[in-house]
Amino acid sequence: MTQPGTDIHPIAPEKRAAILAALADIERGHAVRIVFACESGSRGWGFSSPDSDYDARFIYVHDTAWYLTVNERTRPGAPQRDVIELPIDDELDVSGWDLRKALRLLSKCNPTLSEWLRSPIVYREDPAITGRLRDLTESHYSRLAAWHHYHSMAKTNFRGYLRGERIRTKKYLYVLRPILACLWIETSDQPPPMAFEALLDKRLPNGPVREAIDALLVVKRASGEVADGPRIPVVSDFIEMQLERMGRETMQLPLREAEEGSLDAFFRQAIGFSAR
């Protein structure tokens, strides 16, 4: 459980100011309008270390003419860039998607946009656009697609990080979060929450595994990003048991088929396009 007085989503005021300044520079330098910006990563999930970086993610739109050109703005025949990324420094990682890219991923039931829109830390927001985006993520949400997304993430992180006798503390959490998201999806029609402890409270409210994860969170929030420790048998056994079960069973979850006309209509409205 969270220790009294612990801020599990810490954003230093000077870092918030730096992120807002970076977003304003992006708008000026790229001639775009940022309609939503949030914190992703460990600060959004609620298990950041004191030296965790800031992972700001955003959605932006160009003016209408940018989308309606014969020769694209990069060079003829080359796809226009649909991502803006600032050089990563020691503390700030700032990147974003063009709205059209975000909607394309939404149409394929990729859960990433849904996570951003439910982040507990929002830097910028156009309520009219983000309100409609949230509605669309709900109407296009597929439990089956989301389950496969998180299951794949858990397997990849497990293979990459949890094989040794000493394990970096944060890597345990990078596997536990998608596993708990899968467990959430198996029993709920609603998308899994972004905050890690909300997943824990629903899927592991008590017991030895929960106690070990709570202890792990205390260590993670107090130690550096590269801190490691010995393998924790009760946590590792839980992870391996769940991955073995998920790999063995065939998920019987509904696959939602959503029509794309609503995405097209919203996109045209958001960029100010009016067909005549």
Side-chain angles (χ1 to χ4, degrees), residues 52-91:
S52 293
D53 61 4
Y54 292 77
D55 298 300
R57 300 292 179 263
F58 59 92
I59 305 296
Y60 63 91
V61 295
H62 289 271
D63 61 34
T64 309
W66 188 89
Y67 299 99
L68 303 174
T69 58
V70 174
N71 290 320
E72 296 172 324
R73 298 292 178 85
T74 48
R75 62 183 186 274
Q80 291 172 316
R81 287 274 294 164
D82 55 10
V83 175
I84 296 174
E85 299 167 308
L86 295 187
I88 300 174
D89 64 25
D90 291 339
E91 294 185 312

Side-chain angles (χ1 to χ4, degrees), residues 185-207:
I185 291 165
E186 290 170 13
T187 58
S188 173
D189 291 332
Q190 298 302 310
M194 186 176 185
F196 182 68
E197 287 204 27
L199 287 170
L200 275 175
D201 289 344
K202 180 70 174 182
R203 301 308 307 152
L204 283 174
N206 48 52

Side-chain angles (χ1 to χ4, degrees), residues 66-239:
W66 188 89
Y67 299 99
L68 303 174
T69 58
V70 174
N71 290 320
E72 296 172 324
R73 298 292 178 85
T74 48
R75 62 183 186 274
Q80 291 172 316
R81 287 274 294 164
D82 55 10
V83 175
I84 296 174
E85 299 167 308
L86 295 187
I88 300 174
D89 64 25
D90 291 339
E91 294 185 312
L92 299 185
D93 179 354
V94 182
S95 66
W97 293 342
D98 176 66
L99 178 63
R100 182 163 54 187
K101 176 184 178 68
L103 292 174
R104 283 172 176 164
L105 291 172
L106 190 158
S107 73
K108 299 173 183 176
C109 304
N110 182 300
T112 302
L113 179 61
S114 178
E115 279 201 12
W116 291 3
L117 291 168
R118 287 179 288 108
S119 172
I121 304 165
V122 174
Y123 296 115
R124 293 267 297 270
E125 183 170 19
D126 179 325
I129 290 181
T130 54
R132 182 65 180 131
L133 265 177
R134 290 188 176 98
D135 291 342
L136 288 168
T137 59
E138 290 185 12
S139 64
H140 286 71
Y141 173 65
S142 165
R143 290 173 65 191
L144 184 61
W147 188 92
H148 282 295
H149 170 87
Y150 289 111
H151 181 225
S152 176
M153 183 186 298
K155 288 192 301 180
T156 299
N157 288 342
F158 175 76
R159 287 195 298 263
Y161 305 134
L162 301 192
R163 296 291 192 166
E165 287 304 311
R166 292 194 67 82
I167 296 170
R168 287 175 65 183
T169 306
K170 75 174 186 179
K171 301 306 185 183
Y172 262 129
L173 300 173
Y174 280 19
V175 178
L176 285 165
R177 190 183 76 90
I179 283 177
L180 291 173
C182 285
L183 295 177
W184 176 288
I185 291 165
E186 290 170 13
T187 58
S188 173
D189 291 332
Q190 298 302 310
M194 186 176 185
F196 182 68
E197 287 204 27
L199 287 170
L200 275 175
D201 289 344
K202 180 70 174 182
R203 301 308 307 152
L204 283 174
N206 48 52
V209 178
R210 174 60 187 265
E211 291 170 5
I213 295 174
D214 284 340
L216 196 63
L217 286 170
V218 171
V219 172
K220 175 65 170 66
R221 290 168 179 153
S223 59
E225 279 288 287
V226 298
D228 67 354
R231 180 180 181 274
I232 305 171
V234 67
V235 176
S236 290
D237 290 349
F238 169 78
I239 289 171

